[in-house]
Every structure is written in structure tokens, then in C-alpha cells.
Amino acid sequence: MTTTADTTTRAAVLDDAHLGDIQGALGTIRLDDHGARRGLSAKVKTLLAIAGPGLIVMVGDNDAGAFATYGQAGQDYGTHLLWTLLLLVPVLYVNQEMVLRLGAVTGVGHARLILERFGRFWGAFSVIDLFVLNALTLVTEFIGITLAAGYLGLPKAASVLLAAAIIVASAFTGSFRRFERIAMALCAGSLLLVPISFMVHPAASQLAHDLVVPGLPGGSGQLATVMLLIIGIVGTTVAPWQLFFQQSYVIDKRITPRFMRYEKADLVLGIVVVIVGATALMGACAAAFAHTGAAGGFTDTAGVAHGIAADAGRVAGVLFAIALLDASIIGAFAVSLSTAYAIGDVFGIKHSLHRGVKGAKGFYAVYAALVALAATIVLIPGSPLGLLTEGVQTLAGVLLPSASVFLLLLCNDREVLGPWVNGARTNAFTAAVVGVLVTLSVILTASVLFPHITANAILDIMAGCGAAGLLAAGYALARRRTAATADPVDRTGRDSWRMPPLETLTRPVMATGRKIGMGALRAYLAVAMVLVIIKIVEVALGS
């Protein structure tokens, strides 16, 4: 294992702007500040300086697509699907904790790690998937902007162009701190969902019950429809771009393993905010549309705003539109940045918000080009905007298992994480999550290809995937016990351990069984993605 001294002087960061003082929105920590944090005041100041990555990535997840998905769940099924949010809490934490650990320890972005540790073939797939999905997701953010602006009576073209200018200008300041302050202000704006919920007055007892008691509304006759919506909730709450964004943002903020506890606290705060917001949104929609002719007839988030206004007054509708606008902009920030970071990582170009435009032209060009492309698509007359929103959630659900598999493999790579590799419990939980995601992805693909799929067929798919998962889990457990006994992990001194430069690492040799498994997963996901895209195009063309 590499010594602490070696890793301190030869960290693997790819951009020297990623080394230096932590300059957060709410505080600064100097590079030479190695003092212990004693007392509540010192710990709070440190947390305020570190806070940002976890909060932004989580609040950015409650974006325009999330507003549409949660709004549909509330309008069509009341609060009966709230339990899905509570089940996703540990999934959100474990996934994002692994990427923040990778970022703080390695100093290298997610896409570059995949490229270097698994080769160009897998690296290319991961970046192409990310780029396509992020570009489409960014379009949905601008769809949210147009819907919010339309409700507020603002002109569509001017609103889109102004929003695009704000999104670009906020990143082009050349100051990480200024960008984060803008992003944190938008995070605070997401809390508007709470007073909106109080204005609509959802039943607190019903909210509490449905949050902890799982149920599938509609019975077996609506199982296929409900399952698609559940998959949409999973796809919008645990999105692939989150993994790439947080890892790179942690690196750009210059957070090191020494501050891991504070960054985990930031992540927990972000999860609390996103779950509270999602619960408030679903609850408000459930109460606003209950016992009305519009219940079960979801159209889009503008329709949700009108429904809330009809129930709780014009002010509630305006606040909802403002919250949607806020969510769309912060979502656009995060999605655009995750792509620009990944491109910079893979192609070795400067990629940091600490740099001005002249110091990182390629990075800012990718960011601005994505925003401009999305804004242009939304302004094209006749664009199937509603279909694009639905299609993005579908693709996210299809591609998520692949991202989770790479994440799990990287977090078990001792060359990469050393004493920070996953423990047995994290591995077991993540493997189970991957199994569930693959199952949901198969159900989703089957439902898209066969719109009239029966409840029995869905249950058969679940049973088949469950059986395959149990066999795979048994095999993996037997291998892992043997490996753990033969070579236990030494976790001493990990607070100062950093991954050495990538070129000094030994490329892992992938076992035949793993190659077959990953190849099969990749082939399935590639075919599923193509079929879903074809289906979306067919619907758009009316065939």
C-alpha cells in the first residue's frame, strides 16, 4: 500500500485548480489548516464551509422531471405511493456516500475512473450514456421553465433565453464561491414547497400512514400503470447524473478525506430536504385534486399549478410556479456541470469553476453548448415536449443499473480507495439495490414494448429476476468470504490516504465471470435503450 507521505505529495488530481483552500459559499478552510475541530462552534463553522455538494446534488434532483413525476403520483393516486420515497432514502445515501468517498479520496472524476480502470470500451459507453441522457434531461429542465413562465403570464421565448443566460452567466464568473452561493440560494428556494403544502392542507395522518405503509393503488388491474410510475419515481430520484456530478463537485470544492464526516452530514441534510420537498409536493397534489374531476387526469406541471390555485388560491399557484422555475434552474446547473466535468475528465482539459473562461475554454464551451442546445429544442415549434419529459424518466430508469454496477466495482478497487473500500454491509446492500434496479429496468422495457402487459407477466418477471439475483448473491458471497479471509483491509491512517497518480496504478484483471456478467448487462441495456428510443420516436410520429 502507498504510504501517507507519497499520497500527500503525489495526489491524482487532474487539474491543479482542484488543490488549495476550500472556498465554500458559507465559509473558508485554508489548505494549511490542520487543527482539530473542538467545540460546537468550530464544528458548525467547518460544516458550513463544507456544505454544498450533497445539498446541491439532492435538491437538483427535485427538478422539473421530479415535479412532473411526483405531481402525477399525487394527482392520480393521492398519497398512496409516498412509501416509495422513504424506501429510496437508504439508496440515495449509500449511492451518494460512495461517490463522495471516491471524489475526496481519488481527486479524479467518475467517468475518468471508469475509463482508466475498465478500459476505453466501458469508459466510452459510460460517457456516451451520460451525455445523451443529460442532454435530454436538460431539455426537460427548460420545459419546466416554459411551463412555469406560461402560468405566470411571461412570454415563452424571452423566459427561455433569460433563464439560459442566467444559467450560463452563473457558472462563467470564474469563482467557485460565487457559483455555489447562487446554487445555495436556489436550494433555499426549493423550500417553497413546504408552505404550499400547508396552504393546500393535506391530511397529516394520511401522509404519515402512506409514508410508512406500502400499497399499490388500483389493484391488479392497474399494476402495470402503477409500476411504470414507481419506476419513474426511482428514475427521477436516483438519477445517473447525480453520481458524476457529486464526485466531480467534491473534487472541485477541494474536499479531502479529512472532512469526510462533514460531507456526509451535508449529504444527509440534502436527502432530508429532497424527501421533505417531494413529500410536500405529492401531498399537496393529492389534497388539491382529491374529489375533483381532474383526479387521475394528469397532464403536466402547469395543470398542477392550476389545480393547486383552484383549491388554495392564486397565491399558492404562483408559489408553485416559482418553485418549479427554481427547481428547473438548479437542475439545469447540476446536469450541465456533470457533463462538462465528465468531458473535461475524460479528455484531459481544464475543468474547474475556480478557473475563468480563458483558463478552461473547453469546459465552459461544453457547459454553454448544452444549455444553448436544450433552449433551442424547447423553442422549436411542434416539439413533443411532454413526450420528451416522459422519455427521459424512462431512459434514466433503464440506464441506472449500469451506473450502479460501475460504482460498486470502483468502491471495491483497493488500488483506487485503499483503506476506504466498501465494507461487507455496504456491498451487500448495494448489490441488492442493483438487483432491484435491473428488475425494474426489465419491467420498464417490457412495459414500453408491450403496452398491454398483464399483472401476471410483471409478477413473473419479478420472480425470475429474484431467482437469478439469489443465485448471483450466493456465488458472490462465497467468493467475497474467501477473499476477505485471505486479504483483510487495513484501514489505519485513512484520513490522510489519497489515491496515487492513475498512471502508477496496476490495471485490474477482470475475472471471466465478471466479464460475462457485465457484458450481458451492457448488451441488455444497449438493446433496451435503443428499443425505448424507437418506441418514443414512433409515438412522437403518431405511428
Side-chain angles (χ1 to χ4, degrees):
M1 183 179 292
T2 309
T3 65
T4 299
D6 287 337
T7 55
T8 302
T9 58
R10 301 184 64 219
V13 292
L14 302 178
D15 187 331
D16 54 16
H18 296 156
L19 296 172
D21 299 342
I22 295 174
Q23 299 172 346
L26 305 176
T28 300
I29 301 175
R30 294 181 59 84
L31 180 63
D32 58 1
D33 179 0
H34 300 295
R37 267 57 182 173
R38 294 189 177 91
L40 181 60
S41 176
K43 292 178 179 179
V44 169
K45 288 180 179 178
T46 302
L47 177 59
L48 289 174
I50 295 295
L55 187 60
I56 294 169
V57 75
M58 287 291 100
V59 174
D61 192 44
N62 262 4
D63 59 358
F67 266 61
T69 305
Y70 300 145
Q72 181 179 359
Q75 182 174 343
D76 290 357
Y77 298 106
T79 56
H80 294 296
L81 294 179
L82 269 180
W83 56 271
T84 57
L85 299 177
L86 199 61
L87 284 183
L88 287 173
V89 168
V91 178
L92 285 170
Y93 179 80
V94 171
N95 270 11
Q96 294 305 129
E97 187 276 335
M98 285 194 286
V99 290
L100 76 85
R101 194 171 0 124
L102 281 169
V105 174
T106 69
V108 175
H110 203 66
R112 183 59 178 269
L113 281 180
I114 293 173
L115 182 73
E116 294 290 341
R117 302 308 287 165
F118 302 106
R120 293 180 182 274
F121 175 79
W122 296 107
F125 266 121
S126 68
V127 174
I128 292 170
D129 285 353
L130 178 74
F131 191 85
V132 171
L133 186 57
N134 280 10
L136 292 173
T137 302
L138 193 56
V139 173
T140 69
E141 309 301 356
F142 277 95
I143 292 172
I145 290 169
T146 63
L147 293 174
Y151 181 83
L152 295 171
L154 303 175
K156 177 180 177 180
S159 300
V160 168
L161 294 176
L162 179 60
I166 291 172
I167 293 165
V168 171
S170 299
F172 276 48
T173 64
S175 167
F176 183 95
R177 170 169 285 165
R178 279 195 290 269
F179 172 83
E180 187 166 87
R181 283 177 174 169
I182 295 170
M184 294 286 267
L186 291 169
C187 288
S190 71
L191 297 175
L192 279 174
L193 289 170
V194 176
I196 292 170
S197 182
F198 280 114
M199 294 170 76
V200 180
H201 299 300
S205 59
Q206 188 68 39
L207 283 176
H209 175 272
D210 291 341
L211 195 60
V212 297
V213 179
L216 292 174
S220 60
Q222 294 188 35
L223 181 59
T225 304
V226 173
M227 284 299 300
L228 283 178
L229 187 54
I230 290 174
I231 294 167
I233 292 173
V234 173
T236 194
T237 309
V238 190
W241 67 260
Q242 292 175 291
L243 309 180
F244 292 83
F245 173 82
Q246 182 161 337
Q247 185 165 333
S248 291
Y249 197 82
V250 163
I251 295 165
D252 206 5
K253 191 161 183 177
R254 302 164 175 171
I255 294 172
T256 62
R258 179 167 172 253
F259 298 105
M260 195 75 74
R261 286 184 303 164
Y262 295 96
E263 183 47 41
K264 288 181 180 180
D266 170 49
L267 174 59
V268 170
L269 176 61
I271 291 173
V272 170
V273 171
V274 79
I275 296 300
V276 168
T279 301
L281 176 55
M282 202 181 294
C285 291
F289 290 96
H291 313 300
T292 70
F298 175 82
T299 53
D300 55 35
T301 46
V304 171
H306 285 291
I308 288 176
D311 182 81
R314 173 69 177 172
V315 173
V318 169
L319 288 178
F320 179 86
I322 293 173
L324 173 59
L325 188 62
D326 176 274
S328 301
I329 291 176
I330 193 170
F333 275 163
V335 172
S336 301
L337 266 181
S338 70
T339 310
Y341 277 138
I343 297 297
D345 246 344
V346 169
F347 292 101
I349 60 178
K350 302 298 183 183
H351 52 293
S352 173
L353 290 170
H354 289 285
R355 296 183 178 278
V357 176
K358 291 183 179 179
K361 294 178 182 178
F363 170 71
Y364 287 106
V366 170
Y367 181 92
L370 275 172
V371 174
L373 176 64
T376 301
I377 291 173
V378 168
L379 291 177
I380 295 174
S383 297
L385 302 183
L387 189 61
L388 277 173
T389 301
E390 182 179 339
V392 167
Q393 307 307 323
T394 303
L395 285 175
V398 169
L399 294 174
L400 188 57
S402 177
S404 298
V405 167
F406 281 121
L407 176 59
L408 181 60
L409 294 176
L410 285 173
C411 284
N412 281 279
D413 189 333
R414 296 194 186 188
E415 290 272 331
V416 170
L417 282 184
W420 288 97
V421 292
N422 279 359
R425 292 179 183 175
T426 301
N427 281 332
F429 180 82
T430 309
V433 168
V434 170
V436 171
L437 292 177
V438 170
T439 302
L440 292 177
S441 177
V442 173
I443 293 172
L444 176 60
T445 305
S447 300
V448 170
L449 297 178
F450 307 103
H452 302 295
I453 189 171
T454 65
N456 287 335
I458 290 176
L459 293 175
D460 289 341
I461 291 173
M462 294 174 68
C465 290
L470 288 175
L471 291 174
Y475 175 74
L477 181 61
R479 285 182 57 84
R480 201 167 298 282
R481 282 182 174 176
T482 303
T485 303
D487 189 15
V489 178
D490 180 9
R491 301 189 185 275
T492 57
R494 67 178 187 170
D495 283 352
S496 57
W497 196 92
R498 302 293 302 278
M499 184 184 79
L502 282 168
E503 64 271 14
T504 67
L505 303 184
T506 303
R507 177 71 65 85
V509 178
M510 194 175 294
T512 303
R514 179 172 292 179
K515 284 182 179 179
I516 294 173
M518 288 183 64
L521 176 62
R522 182 70 255 181
Y524 157 71
L525 293 176
V527 171
M529 183 172 69
V530 170
L531 291 176
V532 168
I533 291 174
I534 290 174
K535 191 69 176 180
I536 292 171
V537 172
E538 286 179 351
V539 173
L541 296 176
S543 55

